[in-house]
């Protein structure tokens, strides 16, 4: 990338709009699991535009659907019948597992979570919300108000009264030393204690696997145990599936299914991967919840024809090619390869994840102190080796985030693991 483009970026865009790398790169095109920069360098992509390129770059089925639709009509708004929107909503409603489901489309995960909060607070007539520590739900005023990650909370002002409970991070915090059974029991006791001190909340919003927080997750069944407590009090459960949905975690199509003892959530939110790079988000909720609003509401660009065409083509490809199964198989191999490599690197505190959603947490050797400088160094070294990854985490951004397109094959997984292993060894 030329210095001129970087200078222009800095002149007209916000300082807080972060760029990766000491020398930022411009991605010009991609194909499959690879992308190229403006200098002609080729990279294996293990981050997929922050988990948005779910199936593959330049997937022919999606690009053809977008091109064909663009030649007919791009947008008409939700004020008119939209066949593509209805067809995608039908498929998502059926896949969601939520009975009598209704679907509302937005343009992003942030807007989807904001909509879910609007529905929950209107339905329950309460602006009190429960959320998880270390969580991230978006950058709007409402979603920031339920984000429990200091690095992504630019203001403490909020239209909501939010109370944070334990459980999203298994290996840190006051319950980390407990076994899984006692960990869940302690988190449930904490939830009950919080509920005893606050006004009746509208909902609990939770990511089954915390994305920006560093791909952390509780033991299976935690949210089912929470749901039993909440259901007794009429409190809704919103499962934020923006990063975990569509089979990325391999074992399940949705993250909530690892906590399914009490059935599906009252609402789930989705975005990112369904559009394979096109801007699609949305909410699925039981009809009585979705229909509770007593005022007009539309989404000008939510459900627009061109994004719905992309979503339909992408979802069809994902299901017909069993990319969930591929994520389980290839992701399982990848995580074991990374664990074996990390065992020789003292700075790696933990390798965790499911399917093709993997986190490597780095700390200063011999301590639990986060090491964001090490994470940045590995990010740079991986890029120099031809691999793009991400970073995140609730403890000063010291977790490497690995989330390739779900069509990743065994050879590419091995290639990426080898590059990452060299990057870890060279910087530690």
């Amino acid at each position: 990338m030329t210095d001129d483009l970087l200078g222009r970026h800095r002149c007209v865009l916000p300082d807080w709009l972060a760029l990766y790398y000491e020398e930022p790169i411009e991605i010009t095109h991609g194909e499959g699991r690879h992308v190229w920069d403006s200098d002609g360098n080729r990279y294996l992509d293990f981050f997929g535009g922050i988990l948005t390129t779910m199936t593959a770059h330049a997937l022919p089925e999606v690009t053809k659907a977008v091109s064909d639709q663009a030649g007919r009509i791009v947008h008409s708004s939700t004020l008119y019948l939209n066949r593509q929107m209805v067809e995608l909503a039908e498929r998502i409603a059926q896949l969601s597992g939520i009975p009598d489901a209704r679907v509302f489309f937005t343009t992003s995960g942030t807007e989807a979570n904001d909509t879910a909060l609007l529905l929950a607070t209107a339905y329950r007539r309460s602006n009190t919300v429960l959320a998880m520590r270390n969580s991230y739900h978006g950058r709007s005023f409402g979603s920031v108000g339920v984000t429990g990650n200091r690095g992504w909370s630019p203001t403490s002002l909020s239209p909501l009264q939010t109370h944070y409970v334990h459980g999203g991070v298994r290996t840190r915090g006051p319950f980390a030393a407990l076994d899984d059974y006692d960990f869940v029991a302690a988190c449930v006791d904490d939830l009950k204690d919080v509920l005893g001190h606050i006004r009746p909340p509208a909902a609990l919003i939770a990511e089954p696997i915390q994305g920006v927080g560093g791909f952390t997750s509780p033991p299976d069944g935690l949210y089912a145990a929470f749901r039993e407590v909440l259901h007794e009090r009429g409190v809704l459960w919103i499962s934020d599936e923006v990063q975990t949905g569509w089979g990325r975690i391999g074992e399940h199509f949705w993250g909530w299914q690892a906590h399914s003892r009490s059935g599906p959530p009252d609402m789930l939110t989705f975005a990112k991967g369904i559009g394979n790079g096109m801007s699609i988000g949305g909410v699925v909720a039981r009809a009585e919840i979705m229909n509770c609003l007593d005022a007009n509401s539309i989404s000008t660009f939510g459900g627009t024809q061109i994004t719905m065409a992309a979503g339909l083509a992408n979802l069809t490809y994902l299901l017909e090619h069993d990319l969930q199964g591929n994520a389980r198989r290839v992701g399982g191999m990848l995580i074991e390869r990374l664990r074996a490599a990390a065992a020789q690197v003292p700075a790696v505190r933990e390798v965790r994840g499911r399917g093709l959603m993997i986190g490597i947490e780095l700390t200063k050797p011999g301590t639990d102190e986060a090491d964001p400088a090490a994470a940045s160094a590995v990010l740079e070294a991986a890029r120099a080796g031809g691999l793009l990854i991400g970073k995140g985490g609730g403890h000063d951004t010291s977790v490497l985030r690995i989330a390739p397109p779900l069509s990743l094959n065994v050879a590419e997984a091995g290639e990426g693991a080898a590059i990452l292993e060299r990057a870890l060894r060279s910087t530690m």
Side-chain angles (χ1 to χ4, degrees):
M1 188 192 71
T2 64
D3 290 339
D4 179 59
L5 184 57
L6 178 58
R8 289 161 59 193
H9 178 281
R10 289 172 172 164
C11 283
V12 296
L13 297 172
D15 290 345
W16 42 260
L17 191 64
L19 291 168
Y20 273 171
Y21 309 118
E22 293 179 5
E23 297 181 5
I25 60 176
E26 177 193 5
I27 302 293
T28 58
H29 62 287
E31 181 178 348
R33 277 70 57 193
H34 291 87
V35 295
W36 284 258
D37 68 17
S38 55
D39 292 325
N41 297 307
R42 177 178 179 263
Y43 303 94
L44 182 58
D45 185 4
F46 267 29
F47 203 38
I50 319 179
L51 288 80
T52 56
T53 306
M54 179 171 67
T55 48
H57 290 282
L59 185 70
E61 289 82 352
V62 173
T63 56
K64 183 178 187 303
V66 169
S67 177
D68 289 350
Q69 184 60 50
R72 294 191 293 271
I73 187 168
V74 171
H75 170 74
S76 66
S77 92
T78 53
L79 295 172
Y80 306 94
L81 284 172
N82 179 332
R83 186 174 302 276
Q84 292 86 343
M85 182 170 67
V86 171
E87 290 177 354
L88 186 56
E90 288 172 338
R91 300 192 72 179
I92 292 173
Q94 189 275 326
L95 288 166
S96 74
I98 294 175
D100 195 20
R102 299 292 187 274
V103 182
F104 179 76
F105 288 106
T106 67
T107 59
S108 69
T110 289
E111 190 187 349
N113 285 330
D114 239 20
T115 302
L117 293 168
L118 169 66
L119 291 169
T121 53
Y123 182 78
R124 289 275 293 162
R125 297 187 175 277
S126 168
N127 76 330
T128 301
V129 174
L130 299 169
M132 306 304 294
R133 299 182 185 188
N134 193 51
S135 59
Y136 175 81
H137 298 289
R139 56 154 302 280
S140 67
F141 193 42
S143 59
V144 163
V146 294
T147 288
N149 184 316
R150 181 181 61 187
W152 292 90
S153 299
T155 178
S156 61
L157 301 174
S158 175
L160 303 166
Q161 185 177 61
T162 305
H163 300 271
Y164 295 98
V165 294
H166 287 291
V169 182
R170 177 65 184 90
T171 60
R172 286 186 180 271
F175 306 146
L178 302 176
D179 63 27
D180 284 355
Y181 179 86
D182 289 336
F183 180 92
V184 170
C187 292
V188 169
D189 286 344
D190 174 66
L191 172 63
K192 290 178 179 177
D193 184 65
V194 170
L195 289 169
H197 292 284
I198 64 175
R199 297 188 62 81
L204 165 73
I205 184 168
E207 305 157 272
I209 298 177
Q210 295 181 331
V212 169
F215 292 174
T216 65
S217 62
D220 287 358
L222 174 77
Y223 293 119
F226 276 10
R227 175 74 182 282
E228 291 172 3
V229 174
L230 299 173
H231 187 70
E232 292 174 356
R233 297 162 174 79
V235 181
L236 304 177
W237 171 28
I238 304 167
S239 185
D240 179 344
E241 302 275 356
V242 169
Q243 297 197 32
T244 51
W246 317 110
R248 174 165 289 281
I249 63 174
E251 297 171 56
H252 305 288
F253 195 76
W254 304 106
W256 70 258
Q257 291 170 318
H259 308 270
S260 60
R261 186 173 71 226
S262 299
D266 299 290
M267 286 187 268
L268 69 81
T269 58
F270 62 85
K272 288 193 181 288
I274 182 60
N276 202 45
M278 299 293 284
S279 297
I280 305 177
V283 183
V284 188
R286 299 198 319 268
E288 63 179 303
I289 299 171
M290 185 68 81
N291 295 335
C292 76
L293 301 183
D294 61 0
N296 294 326
S297 190
I298 64 170
S299 177
T300 300
F301 286 106
T304 195
Q305 282 93 335
I306 196 164
T307 59
M308 296 294 95
L312 279 165
N314 195 44
L315 182 57
T316 297
Y317 184 92
L318 177 136
L319 295 173
E320 290 182 350
H321 291 80
D322 187 25
L323 294 193
Q324 177 185 343
N326 191 66
R328 182 178 65 253
R329 293 184 296 272
V330 178
M333 184 212 75
L334 179 58
I335 195 169
E336 291 307 315
R337 171 79 180 269
L338 293 173
R339 281 177 174 155
Q344 309 303 315
V345 182
V348 176
R349 181 177 184 269
E350 183 182 22
V351 178
R352 56 179 175 253
R354 288 184 170 185
L356 288 172
M357 191 173 184
I358 303 168
I360 302 176
E361 183 176 353
L362 304 179
T363 55
K364 295 180 179 178
T367 76
D368 276 344
E369 183 181 350
D371 196 345
S376 294
V378 175
L379 197 80
E380 293 281 357
R383 175 256 177 122
L387 178 72
L388 303 185
I389 59 174
K391 59 181 179 176
H395 292 268
D396 298 320
T397 317
S398 63
V399 179
L400 306 174
R401 298 171 69 199
I402 298 158
L406 303 191
S407 57
L408 185 77
N409 62 44
V410 170
E412 291 163 340
E415 177 189 353
I419 296 171
L420 193 49
E421 181 177 358
R422 290 193 295 271
L424 285 165
R425 291 180 181 277
S426 70
T427 56
M428 295 297 113

